[in-house]
């Protein structure tokens, strides 16, 4: 444990930069992707409380959702008309 603390004290700027990079990646890519998949699964059958929670998540993670939006396609599938 002491070796790890000593290493972090010597390389503190690198550790802080890596921490910021990991947090930014989670905020801008990982969590918004999970939110988009959750919204796709639950959008049409969510309760009112759950829908309010969805709106909160979209508001809170808006920058990441905006980054991922051009790559997502949630249009409904074509209906097959049988004759």
């Amino acid at each position: 444990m002491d070796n790890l603390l000593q290493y972090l004290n010597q390389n503190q700027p690198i550790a802080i930069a890596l921490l910021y990079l990991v947090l930014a990646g989670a905020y801008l890519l990982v969590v918004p992707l999970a939110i988009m998949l959750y919204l796709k699964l639950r959008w049409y059958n969510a309760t009112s409380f759950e829908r309010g929670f969805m709106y909160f998540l979209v508001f809170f993670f808006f920058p990441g959702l905006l980054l991922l939006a051009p790559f997502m396609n949630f249009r409904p599938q074509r209906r097959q008309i049988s004759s």
Side-chain angles (χ1 to χ4, degrees), residues 4 34 39 51 55 68 70:
L4 178 63
L39 292 176
R51 190 165 305 274
Y55 292 148
L68 293 177

Side-chain angles (χ1 to χ4, degrees), residues 8-77:
L8 287 177
N9 282 335
Q10 291 172 352
N11 297 314
Q12 190 174 7
I14 295 171
I16 292 173
L18 285 175
L19 179 64
Y20 271 105
L21 189 64
V22 167
L23 290 175
Y27 180 73
L28 292 175
L29 296 174
V30 176
V31 176
L33 183 62
I35 290 172
M36 280 194 160
L37 294 175
Y38 172 69
L39 292 176
K40 183 178 180 181
L41 290 175
R42 297 289 300 163
W43 186 257
Y44 292 108
N45 53 3
T47 63
S48 60
F49 177 76
E50 190 177 4
R51 190 165 305 274
F53 181 65
M54 287 177 182
Y55 292 148
F56 165 75
L57 289 175
V58 168
F59 175 74
F60 194 74
F61 292 98
F62 183 74
L65 290 169
L66 197 61
L67 282 175
L68 293 177
F71 305 106
M72 303 306 266
N73 181 7
F74 291 141
R75 286 179 282 181
Q77 299 293 323

